[in-house]
Amino acid sequence: MLSDLISSELPYLRRYARGLMGQQGEGDAAVEDMIESLIFRISVAPDMKFNRADLFAELDKTARKRIASLSDESGIARILNAMSTEERRTLLLTIVEGFTVAETAEILGMTTSKVEDTLRAAESTITHAVSTPVLIIEDETLISYQLSQIVREAGHTIAAVATTQGEAVEFARTGKFGLILSDIRLADGSTGIDAVSDIESFYEDPVPVVYITAYPEMLLQGGVGEPAYLIPKPFDPLHVRTVIDQAVLSAYLSDTRKAA
């Protein structure tokens, strides 16, 4: 049944929409619009059948309509001017949501060769993304090392690596960084969420945060204050790189708009 399919895919639909729109509120609103539209269509034609790819295709159309309705001066519109909509869509669907090139082509109404070309262009865009110092909050040495390597290869620098909430907050009081890359659960019983909350309490402007968790669905329920950027464990290095640069780019363009 469609309701069962939507229920099982809802966290991932939210993840895709948030990544495409650049923020939780607009992304979740796009998902709601899509669901309302599907409910109406099913009421008119109850024999309609949908699979996972169909749902993402419908969401993609809905999200693009919302993007088109935004002012050219909005932060989201400016983000999408820096990384083309096609680049962001293909990256999110293939790297984040795990669709094949062929499935992505079907969802987006492209040829497979177009999707492949767009992915190559997206990789070039990411390579030239805005560079920033990154604060890593992670208590596992091997994972923090892997993340540090990915951050550096993406053209960013490491501001510090903290293993506990206390270490992260202490560094943040005097250190400078443009992105936080944080695990959820830390070995000493503290959490990355608490660390970020403490850091945000004495920062005037919010710093973008990418959370890493083995249970991303728990933070994709549609509640207030859920993160826009989530990476599941175990992670794919290209997925990490893509999400990091999207978050940095979003914050940079938002700051540019404020200064204009």
Side-chain angles (χ1 to χ4, degrees):
M1 294 177 58
L2 178 61
S3 59
D4 293 335
L5 178 62
I6 291 176
S7 179
S8 65
E9 294 297 330
L10 191 54
Y12 311 109
L13 293 167
R14 289 195 182 105
R15 180 171 63 184
Y16 175 67
R18 291 176 188 180
L20 180 58
M21 305 295 289
Q23 57 179 260
Q24 179 192 351
E26 286 291 341
D28 289 355
V31 174
E32 291 175 7
D33 288 350
M34 184 270 290
I35 292 174
E36 289 178 1
S37 175
L38 286 184
I39 289 174
F40 173 77
R41 289 167 60 188
I42 287 292
S43 68
V44 175
D47 293 333
M48 293 183 66
K49 303 296 183 183
F50 289 88
N51 57 31
R52 182 171 185 257
D54 294 330
L55 280 185
F56 277 86
E58 291 293 329
L59 178 56
D60 185 74
K61 293 175 185 176
T62 303
R64 283 188 290 127
K65 287 180 181 178
R66 292 188 68 89
I67 291 169
S69 69
L70 295 170
S71 163
D72 288 339
E73 295 302 314
S74 73
I76 296 172
R78 292 168 69 86
I79 292 168
L80 295 176
N81 283 337
M83 174 178 279
S84 78
T85 308
E86 286 187 349
E87 290 174 7
R88 178 171 286 220
R89 292 157 72 203
T90 53
L91 278 173
L92 289 171
L93 288 171
T94 55
I95 302 302
V96 178
E97 302 305 333
F99 287 103
T100 65
V101 169
E103 289 169 335
T104 299
E106 179 183 353
I107 292 170
L108 301 182
M110 298 179 181
T111 63
T112 54
S113 60
K114 174 65 174 176
V115 170
E116 291 169 346
D117 289 343
T118 304
L119 286 171
R120 282 192 288 270
E123 183 176 354
S124 177
T125 300
I126 292 173
T127 300
H128 295 89
V130 179
S131 178
T132 192
V134 178
L135 169 60
I136 297 176
I137 306 174
E138 170 59 63
D139 63 340
E140 294 188 35
T141 303
L142 179 58
I143 294 179
S144 64
Y145 175 79
Q146 291 176 314
L147 293 174
S148 297
Q149 290 293 102
I150 294 169
V151 166
R152 292 190 180 99
E153 289 172 1
H156 305 293
T157 58
I158 305 300
V161 177
T163 60
T164 66
Q165 175 183 352
E167 286 183 8
V169 173
E170 184 63 27
F171 172 79
R173 293 185 185 278
T174 56
K176 300 294 184 182
F177 49 91
L179 176 73
I180 299 172
L181 186 59
S182 179
D183 192 3
I184 297 292
R185 297 179 179 178
L186 303 174
D188 69 341
S190 62
T191 72
I193 294 176
D194 290 337
V196 170
S197 178
D198 287 346
I199 291 170
E200 289 178 341
S201 69
F202 53 84
Y203 265 67
E204 182 177 348
D205 295 321
V207 177
V209 182
V210 176
Y211 284 107
I212 300 175
T213 174
Y215 307 99
E217 299 86 353
M218 296 175 62
L219 295 176
L220 292 166
Q221 300 302 311
V224 176
E226 290 182 347
Y229 304 105
L230 280 173
I231 296 174
K233 286 184 177 180
F235 53 76
D236 180 309
L238 182 55
H239 181 182
V240 176
R241 179 169 174 171
T242 299
V243 174
I244 286 175
D245 283 313
Q246 284 180 340
V248 172
L249 186 59
S250 173
Y252 172 77
L253 291 172
S254 178
D255 290 342
T256 301
R257 181 171 66 89
K258 291 177 183 177

